[in-house]
Amino acid sequence: MEKLFYPESIVIFGLSAKSDNIPRLILENLLRWGYKGRIFGVHPGGKETQVYGISMHGSVEALPMVPDLAVLLIPARYVPETVEACGRFGIRYLTLLSGGFNELGEEGEALAQKTVECARQYGLRFVGPNCLAVANTRNGLCLPFVPIHKPPTGGFSLISQSGGLGIFQWNQLRNENVGLAKFASIGNKLDITEIEILEYLGRDPDTRVIGMYLESVVDGRALVEAARKIEKPILIYKSSVTKAGQKAAMSHTAALASDESVMDSAFKEAGIIRLHHFNDFIDAAKAFDLPPLRGNRMMIMSPIGGGCVIMADNCEKNGFSMADPGEAFYDDMQKKGNAGIIKFSNPLDLGDVYDMSHYASIFHGVLHSEGVDGAIFFSQWPDMPHKEEKDVFTRLFQTDISREAIGAVRSSGKPLGAVILGTSPTLDRLKRNFPYPLFNSPESMIRALAMQRDYHARRAALAGENAAPLAETTDAVRGLWGTMRGMWGRNFWKSSAPMGLAHRKALWPQVLRKSWLRRIGWDILWCLR
């Protein structure tokens, strides 16, 4: 898989200098992103010797070397023979962006089968078809045929079964100043699937958080097994959950429906975070860019009284409790108030603190308190008339306190989520210039921090339970087997009318009390699904 994301040489099939040539847009992306490997073009019957200075050739056999990666965006009917030619020449990795395969019925299905056969004959691996291929911000690799700017480099990697939604996500990343590591659009996934790319990203040092948009899960058991071994947050948005969605997915990427109830349980068991809002990809990436939230005790802060109320409501809905930083902290706060009209507590209404120099000690005191696990802050940057000397409210709402926030976070090792509201141009400027993740709403921030909290709690629980003594494990396995025999009898497995899935699932929590038994239990449940 390394050559797929780090090819030292690429050949683009169908490349031409014509203004309506789509493969030319792939070349433009590579040049725009600063890819430094060798690039060749192949166009049978073409008369051009170069495109943007890139040497053109009439066939793959005419290339001066065997490229690491071939990019195919040609009519579907020519794909099988081109794949075969690439295999004979020694190319081992290929991205197939062309559409017109198993998403279009019997004729396309035949082309898909022929393509797979040709690839397997020569040991050639490919991504696609009907996809936007892969991208890597580390080396400037950008193979989608849609013109696009390079997003900021960071630790979020995305696997998407939809190329269009993947590109939309790239634009969101740029807007929100969230960095991208790698991207894979897998389309119909006739060969390389999301599982192989997930395993690769699990080992990738540049990737810290993995996002996946899926319309189908072909091998759920393999996906769960791969996720169990990866010690990174894995976020999955699974669409095609209704009859209408499944019908649309069949015409889009030939996706197959999956058993949602089994999938939900299996995802939870494997530590996968299942998303139900598409924008949660961005919010979760921001939350995981903060230090781990290792408890439920949350401190709420805002100079907006209504903001305190909204955050308090959402904290309770997401399982957070109100943190107590201690009497000494509140005594100190009384000295910082301007008119003395607010009694400080949690939520902490900062509307009476006009001197912004106090914010450093407030953030420090909150995050360094033993009674606080994390904090959230909600403010605004409104469009206000400026004067040569700013009034007290302009200073209150238009002072950069990012250094104070970052310092307290780095010193305490605890997260501080922040929401700043304002006009669109102002927010765009803030997000691109603040060296700190800013959320778009209190609701999305708190939901994302709850995901982060739950992820770290599950990882900690699994680490503790997996340390069970071997003798205890052996006794528990024997006890499980005895319980199963007692509940279902010796002929359970051969029964012509086994109990229903819902009944079996209801019984499992009674016997699967330890995490080291869950793998056994889920393997059995998967077989019985």
Side-chain angles (χ1 to χ4, degrees), residues 360 363 399-410 434-436:
F363 290 163
T399 298
D400 181 358
I401 55 173
S402 60
R403 287 178 300 181
E404 290 80 354
I406 294 171
V409 168
R410 295 292 173 259
F434 267 41
Y436 197 82

Side-chain angles (χ1 to χ4, degrees), residues 458-480:
R458 280 196 298 270
R459 298 302 305 184
L462 286 172
E465 291 179 356
N466 285 335
L470 180 60
E472 183 183 350
T473 303
T474 304
D475 290 343
V477 171
R478 288 172 181 161
L480 170 62

Side-chain angles (χ1 to χ4, degrees), residues 11 13 70-74 78-79 82-83 86 94-98:
V11 56
F13 283 80
V71 181
L72 271 63
L73 182 52
I74 59 178
Y78 299 125
V79 166
T82 305
V83 171
C86 288
L94 183 149
T95 58
L96 179 51
L97 289 76
S98 309

